[in-house]
Amino acid sequence: MSAPERIPPRSLTPHELLAEGELTVRGQIREASNAVLYCTVEYEGVSAACVYKPVAGERPLWDFPDGTLAQREVAAYELSEAMGWGLVPPTVLRDGPYGQGMCQLWIEASETGEASEDSEAGEDTGDAGEGAGQDRLLALVEGDEPGPGWKAVGYADVGENRTALLVHADDERLRRLAVLDAVINNGDRKGGHLLPAADGRLYAIDHGVTFNADDKLRTLLWGWAGEPLTEEALAALRRLSADLAEDRPLAVRLAELITPAEIEALRGRVAELLRTGRHREPSGQWPAIPWPPV
Protein backbone atom coordinates (compact mmCIF):
# COMPACT_ATOMS: atom_id res chain seq x y z
CA MET A 1 0.00 0.00 0.00
CA SER A 2 1.51 3.26 -1.06
CA ALA A 3 1.83 6.17 1.35
CA PRO A 4 -0.75 8.94 0.92
CA GLU A 5 0.42 11.87 -1.12
CA ARG A 6 1.50 14.78 1.05
CA ILE A 7 -0.12 18.07 0.12
CA PRO A 8 2.21 21.00 0.79
CA PRO A 9 0.76 23.81 2.87
CA ARG A 10 -0.76 26.60 0.84
CA SER A 11 1.39 29.69 0.56
CA LEU A 12 -0.54 32.74 1.71
CA THR A 13 0.01 36.10 0.07
CA PRO A 14 0.33 39.11 2.40
CA HIS A 15 -2.88 40.45 0.84
CA GLU A 16 -4.79 37.27 1.75
CA LEU A 17 -3.36 37.25 5.26
CA LEU A 18 -4.39 40.87 5.87
CA ALA A 19 -7.85 40.46 4.35
CA GLU A 20 -8.83 37.10 5.86
CA GLY A 21 -6.86 36.82 9.09
CA GLU A 22 -8.05 37.37 12.64
CA LEU A 23 -7.06 40.87 13.70
CA THR A 24 -5.93 41.40 17.30
CA VAL A 25 -5.13 44.88 18.64
CA ARG A 26 -1.86 44.96 20.62
CA GLY A 27 -1.42 48.69 21.20
CA GLN A 28 -1.81 52.21 19.86
CA ILE A 29 0.71 54.39 18.04
CA ARG A 30 0.08 57.63 19.90
CA GLU A 31 2.19 59.98 17.78
CA ALA A 32 -0.30 59.79 14.90
CA SER A 33 -2.99 62.43 14.37
CA ASN A 34 -5.62 59.76 13.61
CA ALA A 35 -6.23 56.47 15.40
CA VAL A 36 -3.43 54.06 14.42
CA LEU A 37 -3.46 50.65 16.10
CA TYR A 38 -0.59 48.17 16.16
CA CYS A 39 -2.01 44.69 15.60
CA THR A 40 -1.25 41.12 14.71
CA VAL A 41 -3.16 39.22 12.04
CA GLU A 42 -3.31 35.40 11.93
CA TYR A 43 -4.73 33.03 9.32
CA GLU A 44 -4.17 29.32 8.70
CA GLY A 45 -1.24 29.24 11.12
CA VAL A 46 0.50 32.25 9.57
CA SER A 47 0.79 35.52 11.48
CA ALA A 48 2.28 38.96 10.93
CA ALA A 49 2.35 42.40 12.49
CA CYS A 50 0.22 45.08 10.88
CA VAL A 51 -1.27 48.53 11.29
CA TYR A 52 -5.04 49.03 11.52
CA LYS A 53 -6.55 52.49 11.01
CA PRO A 54 -10.30 52.38 11.66
CA VAL A 55 -12.45 54.87 9.78
CA ALA A 56 -14.10 55.73 13.12
CA GLY A 57 -10.76 57.11 14.33
CA GLU A 58 -10.20 59.50 11.43
CA ARG A 59 -10.04 63.21 12.17
CA PRO A 60 -12.30 65.17 9.77
CA LEU A 61 -10.47 67.34 7.21
CA TRP A 62 -11.97 70.33 5.43
CA ASP A 63 -10.69 69.33 2.00
CA PHE A 64 -11.43 65.58 2.04
CA PRO A 65 -14.81 63.85 2.40
CA ASP A 66 -15.31 62.41 5.88
CA GLY A 67 -14.50 58.75 6.36
CA THR A 68 -12.46 58.30 3.16
CA LEU A 69 -8.83 58.35 4.32
CA ALA A 70 -8.62 54.56 4.73
CA GLN A 71 -9.91 54.07 1.19
CA ARG A 72 -7.27 56.48 -0.14
CA GLU A 73 -4.53 54.48 1.57
CA VAL A 74 -5.74 51.37 -0.23
CA ALA A 75 -5.95 53.26 -3.54
CA ALA A 76 -2.32 54.38 -3.11
CA TYR A 77 -1.31 50.75 -2.68
CA GLU A 78 -3.25 49.77 -5.81
CA LEU A 79 -1.45 52.46 -7.84
CA SER A 80 1.97 51.47 -6.47
CA GLU A 81 1.32 47.87 -7.52
CA ALA A 82 0.00 48.89 -10.94
CA MET A 83 3.21 50.82 -11.60
CA GLY A 84 5.26 47.76 -10.64
CA TRP A 85 7.31 49.45 -7.94
CA GLY A 86 5.96 47.93 -4.71
CA LEU A 87 6.61 51.13 -2.77
CA VAL A 88 3.54 50.88 -0.53
CA PRO A 89 3.26 47.91 1.86
CA PRO A 90 0.39 45.48 1.18
CA THR A 91 -2.81 47.27 2.22
CA VAL A 92 -6.46 46.20 2.36
CA LEU A 93 -9.82 47.61 3.44
CA ARG A 94 -11.53 45.33 5.95
CA ASP A 95 -13.64 45.08 9.06
CA GLY A 96 -11.85 45.03 12.40
CA PRO A 97 -12.48 45.35 16.13
CA TYR A 98 -13.47 49.02 15.70
CA GLY A 99 -15.25 48.76 12.38
CA GLN A 100 -14.08 49.11 8.81
CA GLY A 101 -10.60 50.46 8.30
CA MET A 102 -7.30 50.20 6.51
CA CYS A 103 -5.04 47.26 7.41
CA GLN A 104 -1.40 47.43 6.26
CA LEU A 105 1.54 45.09 6.71
CA TRP A 106 3.97 46.35 9.35
CA ILE A 107 7.41 47.23 7.96
CA GLU A 108 10.36 47.24 10.34
CA ALA A 109 12.53 50.14 9.20
CA SER A 110 16.31 49.90 9.35
CA GLU A 111 16.58 53.72 9.35
CA THR A 112 14.05 56.45 10.14
CA GLY A 113 14.63 58.37 6.92
CA GLU A 114 14.23 61.62 8.87
CA ALA A 115 16.37 64.70 8.44
CA SER A 116 19.43 65.14 10.64
CA GLU A 117 22.19 67.73 10.59
CA ASP A 118 25.03 66.33 8.53
CA SER A 119 28.11 68.06 7.19
CA GLU A 120 28.96 65.14 4.89
CA ALA A 121 26.00 65.95 2.67
CA GLY A 122 27.12 69.56 2.21
CA GLU A 123 29.60 71.02 -0.20
CA ASP A 124 32.14 71.61 2.59
CA THR A 125 33.55 68.08 2.25
CA GLY A 126 32.73 67.70 -1.43
CA ASP A 127 31.76 64.04 -1.03
CA ALA A 128 28.82 62.44 0.73
CA GLY A 129 30.12 58.96 -0.03
CA GLU A 130 28.96 56.48 -2.64
CA GLY A 131 26.51 54.77 -0.29
CA ALA A 132 25.02 57.90 1.25
CA GLY A 133 21.57 57.30 -0.18
CA GLN A 134 21.46 53.79 1.28
CA ASP A 135 22.38 54.86 4.80
CA ARG A 136 20.38 58.06 5.12
CA LEU A 137 17.64 59.56 2.99
CA LEU A 138 17.33 63.12 4.35
CA ALA A 139 19.75 65.58 5.93
CA LEU A 140 20.09 69.22 7.00
CA VAL A 141 23.41 70.70 5.88
CA GLU A 142 25.37 73.92 6.05
CA GLY A 143 26.05 75.87 2.87
CA ASP A 144 24.09 76.51 -0.28
CA GLU A 145 24.78 73.38 -2.32
CA PRO A 146 24.27 69.66 -1.64
CA GLY A 147 27.26 67.37 -1.91
CA PRO A 148 27.55 64.65 -4.54
CA GLY A 149 24.86 62.03 -4.14
CA TRP A 150 22.34 64.51 -2.70
CA LYS A 151 19.58 66.75 -4.09
CA ALA A 152 18.55 70.10 -2.63
CA VAL A 153 14.98 70.69 -1.48
CA GLY A 154 15.07 74.11 0.22
CA TYR A 155 15.97 75.93 3.39
CA ALA A 156 14.55 75.00 6.78
CA ASP A 157 14.46 76.88 10.08
CA VAL A 158 16.55 74.92 12.61
CA GLY A 159 16.13 77.37 15.52
CA GLU A 160 18.32 80.04 17.10
CA ASN A 161 17.86 82.23 14.01
CA ARG A 162 19.59 79.63 11.85
CA THR A 163 18.62 77.96 8.63
CA ALA A 164 20.03 74.87 6.98
CA LEU A 165 19.66 73.35 3.55
CA LEU A 166 17.32 70.37 3.47
CA VAL A 167 18.57 67.69 1.09
CA HIS A 168 17.52 64.19 0.14
CA ALA A 169 19.55 61.34 -1.30
CA ASP A 170 19.87 61.07 -5.08
CA ASP A 171 18.38 57.60 -4.79
CA GLU A 172 16.44 55.77 -7.50
CA ARG A 173 14.00 54.44 -4.89
CA LEU A 174 13.15 57.99 -3.83
CA ARG A 175 12.94 59.07 -7.46
CA ARG A 176 10.28 56.43 -8.15
CA LEU A 177 8.43 57.60 -5.04
CA ALA A 178 8.52 61.21 -6.28
CA VAL A 179 6.75 60.03 -9.44
CA LEU A 180 4.20 57.98 -7.49
CA ASP A 181 3.47 60.96 -5.23
CA ALA A 182 2.87 63.17 -8.28
CA VAL A 183 0.46 60.56 -9.65
CA ILE A 184 -1.54 60.11 -6.43
CA ASN A 185 -1.35 63.84 -5.57
CA ASN A 186 0.15 63.22 -2.14
CA GLY A 187 -0.46 66.15 0.18
CA ASP A 188 1.83 64.98 2.99
CA ARG A 189 5.12 63.29 2.01
CA LYS A 190 7.25 63.67 5.14
CA GLY A 191 10.55 62.12 6.14
CA GLY A 192 8.90 59.99 8.81
CA HIS A 193 6.83 58.30 6.11
CA LEU A 194 9.92 56.74 4.50
CA LEU A 195 10.81 53.23 5.67
CA PRO A 196 14.06 51.75 4.31
CA ALA A 197 13.94 48.02 5.04
CA ALA A 198 16.87 45.79 5.95
CA ASP A 199 16.65 44.04 2.55
CA GLY A 200 17.38 47.31 0.73
CA ARG A 201 13.81 48.02 -0.33
CA LEU A 202 12.15 51.36 0.40
CA TYR A 203 8.55 51.53 1.58
CA ALA A 204 6.34 54.58 2.01
CA ILE A 205 3.37 54.89 4.38
CA ASP A 206 0.59 57.32 5.40
CA HIS A 207 -1.32 57.99 2.19
CA GLY A 208 -4.62 59.23 3.60
CA VAL A 209 -4.44 62.71 2.08
CA THR A 210 -4.11 61.68 -1.55
CA PHE A 211 -6.13 61.70 -4.79
CA ASN A 212 -7.76 65.09 -4.24
CA ALA A 213 -9.13 66.49 -7.50
CA ASP A 214 -7.32 69.79 -6.73
CA ASP A 215 -3.54 70.12 -6.79
CA LYS A 216 -2.36 69.23 -3.27
CA LEU A 217 1.17 67.92 -3.88
CA ARG A 218 3.35 68.59 -0.82
CA THR A 219 6.56 66.65 -0.51
CA LEU A 220 10.19 66.65 0.58
CA LEU A 221 11.19 65.02 -2.71
CA TRP A 222 11.49 68.08 -4.95
CA GLY A 223 15.15 67.42 -5.81
CA TRP A 224 14.30 66.26 -9.35
CA ALA A 225 11.73 68.99 -10.04
CA GLY A 226 11.74 69.87 -13.74
CA GLU A 227 14.22 67.16 -14.68
CA PRO A 228 13.40 64.58 -17.39
CA LEU A 229 11.65 61.46 -16.17
CA THR A 230 13.57 58.21 -16.48
CA GLU A 231 12.64 55.74 -19.21
CA GLU A 232 11.54 53.36 -16.47
CA ALA A 233 9.12 55.96 -15.10
CA LEU A 234 7.74 56.77 -18.55
CA ALA A 235 7.13 53.08 -19.23
CA ALA A 236 5.34 52.70 -15.89
CA LEU A 237 3.18 55.75 -16.63
CA ARG A 238 2.22 54.40 -20.05
CA ARG A 239 1.11 51.11 -18.50
CA LEU A 240 -0.78 52.97 -15.84
CA SER A 241 -2.52 55.17 -18.40
CA ALA A 242 -3.79 52.07 -20.17
CA ASP A 243 -4.88 50.46 -16.89
CA LEU A 244 -6.90 53.55 -15.95
CA ALA A 245 -9.16 53.26 -19.00
CA GLU A 246 -12.82 52.70 -18.14
CA ASP A 247 -13.82 49.11 -17.45
CA ARG A 248 -10.22 48.00 -16.87
CA PRO A 249 -9.84 46.14 -13.54
CA LEU A 250 -7.78 48.90 -11.93
CA ALA A 251 -10.30 51.60 -12.87
CA VAL A 252 -13.16 49.46 -11.56
CA ARG A 253 -11.31 48.89 -8.28
CA LEU A 254 -10.51 52.59 -7.86
CA ALA A 255 -14.18 53.46 -8.40
CA GLU A 256 -14.87 51.64 -5.12
CA LEU A 257 -12.30 53.79 -3.28
CA ILE A 258 -12.31 57.36 -4.64
CA THR A 259 -14.79 59.62 -6.43
CA PRO A 260 -15.37 59.84 -10.21
CA ALA A 261 -13.96 63.39 -10.22
CA GLU A 262 -10.82 62.17 -8.44
CA ILE A 263 -10.37 59.32 -10.94
CA GLU A 264 -10.65 61.78 -13.83
CA ALA A 265 -8.10 64.09 -12.16
CA LEU A 266 -5.81 61.07 -11.69
CA ARG A 267 -6.00 60.32 -15.41
CA GLY A 268 -5.19 63.96 -16.09
CA ARG A 269 -2.08 63.91 -13.88
CA VAL A 270 -0.77 60.80 -15.60
CA ALA A 271 -1.42 62.33 -19.02
CA GLU A 272 0.37 65.55 -18.03
CA LEU A 273 3.44 63.69 -16.80
CA LEU A 274 3.58 61.80 -20.09
CA ARG A 275 3.06 64.98 -22.09
CA THR A 276 5.87 66.92 -20.39
CA GLY A 277 8.15 63.93 -19.76
CA ARG A 278 9.42 65.73 -16.67
CA HIS A 279 9.13 65.57 -12.90
CA ARG A 280 6.51 67.83 -11.37
CA GLU A 281 7.48 71.29 -10.16
CA PRO A 282 5.78 73.21 -7.31
CA SER A 283 2.69 74.99 -8.59
CA GLY A 284 3.00 77.98 -6.27
CA GLN A 285 -0.70 77.71 -5.40
CA TRP A 286 -0.21 75.34 -2.46
CA PRO A 287 2.59 74.99 0.14
CA ALA A 288 5.20 72.83 -1.57
CA ILE A 289 6.71 71.31 1.57
CA PRO A 290 4.65 69.71 4.40
CA TRP A 291 4.88 71.03 7.93
CA PRO A 292 6.42 69.75 10.05
CA PRO A 293 8.68 68.16 7.42
CA VAL A 294 9.52 64.98 9.41
Side-chain angles (χ1 to χ4, degrees):
M1 182 176 179
S2 61
E5 182 180 357
R6 297 190 64 181
I7 300 175
R10 185 168 72 91
S11 178
L12 282 178
T13 67
H15 192 277
E16 288 176 311
L17 177 60
L18 292 170
E20 305 295 337
E22 180 180 357
L23 197 61
T24 302
V25 175
R26 303 296 183 184
Q28 182 174 3
I29 301 173
R30 299 190 177 277
E31 295 82 1
S33 56
N34 296 303
V36 181
L37 304 176
Y38 178 77
C39 303
T40 54
V41 61
E42 184 173 359
Y43 186 61
E44 295 186 352
V46 179
S47 64
C50 62
V51 168
Y52 164 51
K53 297 183 182 180
V55 171
E58 293 180 4
R59 183 181 64 181
L61 300 173
W62 68 269
D63 50 351
F64 286 86
D66 290 351
T68 66
L69 303 190
Q71 295 168 208
R72 295 168 193 278
E73 297 239 30
V74 177
Y77 166 71
E78 298 282 356
L79 264 291
S80 170
E81 291 299 290
M83 296 183 78
W85 288 337
L87 290 166
V88 180
T91 311
V92 303
L93 194 68
R94 58 162 292 169
D95 286 330
Y98 298 100
Q100 190 179 64
M102 178 277 277
C103 188
Q104 185 175 81
L105 192 68
W106 177 269
I107 301 297
E108 197 66 47
S110 60
E111 297 286 343
T112 65
E114 296 182 2
S116 59
E117 293 196 56
D118 181 6
S119 62
E120 289 186 354
E123 67 175 350
D124 295 353
T125 65
D127 185 8
E130 186 176 345
Q134 299 293 326
D135 301 326
R136 198 162 45 256
L137 299 176
L138 297 166
L140 290 166
V141 303
E142 301 292 339
D144 298 324
E145 295 291 338
W150 297 85
K151 306 287 284 187
V153 178
Y155 292 96
D157 184 354
V158 294
E160 299 179 355
N161 296 318
R162 294 173 54 235
T163 60
L165 184 65
L166 178 64
V167 299
H168 64 67
D170 189 1
D171 185 309
E172 285 304 310
R173 301 170 303 170
L174 289 181
R175 190 165 190 170
R176 295 185 190 107
L177 185 57
V179 177
L180 176 64
D181 281 343
V183 167
I184 67 177
N185 197 17
N186 192 351
D188 195 33
R189 173 60 70 216
K190 297 177 179 177
H193 300 165
L194 307 175
L195 302 179
D199 63 2
R201 293 187 62 177
L202 175 70
Y203 293 94
I205 60 171
D206 285 353
H207 297 105
V209 288
T210 51
F211 295 100
N212 199 298
D214 296 328
D215 183 9
K216 298 283 186 179
L217 184 58
R218 289 194 300 190
T219 176
L220 294 181
L221 303 180
W222 288 116
W224 296 280
E227 293 186 14
L229 293 166
T230 64
E231 286 302 320
E232 178 197 38
L234 290 170
L237 289 166
R238 292 187 194 103
R239 291 194 304 269
L240 182 59
S241 179
D243 287 342
L244 289 172
E246 289 189 21
D247 299 328
R248 293 292 294 269
L250 178 62
V252 173
R253 175 62 176 140
L254 290 176
E256 301 171 351
L257 300 169
I258 58 178
T259 70
E262 289 166 343
I263 293 175
E264 195 57 37
L266 167 62
R267 293 187 180 113
R269 290 191 297 272
V270 173
E272 182 66 10
L273 286 167
L274 286 170
R275 185 189 69 80
T276 64
R278 294 182 177 275
H279 284 269
R280 273 286 313 272
E281 295 184 82
S283 66
Q285 300 177 346
W286 182 253
I289 296 177
W291 184 260
V294 296

